[in-house]
Amino acid sequence: LKDEDSDVRRSAASALDRQSTSPESAIQSLIGALKDKVWDVRSSVESALRKQSTLPESAIQSLIGVLKDDDANVRRRAASALGGQSTLPESAIQSLIGALKDEDADVRNSAASALGKQSTLPESAIRSLIGALKEEDADARKSVTEALDSQ
């Protein structure tokens, strides 16, 4: 995932995309590659992270940190990757709740979608989703509605 050739990086991420369980070192490499300059690489990385059956706590904490990245595309992909997990720790839930107020509508959309994929949500998340029903962006509002409907 650190090769100079973007096709090699994309292929490496695609290979990991076919694995539901990858070693922690590979997952951390994928998280680092969320910031790749090439869109195709970032897309493959996001998909590979979303398909992991279980992310280790260190990876979840890394993704929480990435939710604060300056680049909205990176933040959106981190929220999407967290959404691949059906059960997240409270710290991740709270970070996704915070992302519901992100300046970027796509980040808010991904955060709502990720919350909706959780098997259960705390009351604070439900209240935040209800508050997000006032969302101006139609796609994000739809994700908020779907998230609430899934609970």
Side-chain angles (χ1 to χ4, degrees), residues 38-106:
V38 178
W39 182 88
D40 285 348
V41 174
R42 291 190 311 263
S43 180
S44 294
V45 164
E46 174 190 359
S47 179
L49 284 168
R50 227 183 18 251
K51 290 182 181 172
Q52 295 299 302
S53 59
T54 305
L55 290 173
E57 180 64 25
S58 62
I60 290 172
Q61 293 306 315
S62 294
L63 286 168
I64 289 170
V66 174
L67 282 173
K68 297 174 184 153
D69 194 89
D70 290 338
D71 186 330
N73 287 316
V74 173
R75 294 192 307 273
R76 181 189 61 75
R77 291 180 189 283
S80 177
L82 287 168
Q85 304 298 297
S86 61
T87 304
L88 288 168
E90 181 68 20
S91 58
I93 298 292
Q94 292 305 315
S95 293
L96 288 168
I97 289 170
L100 290 172
K101 296 177 182 174
D102 194 277
E103 64 191 34
D104 186 88
D106 290 335

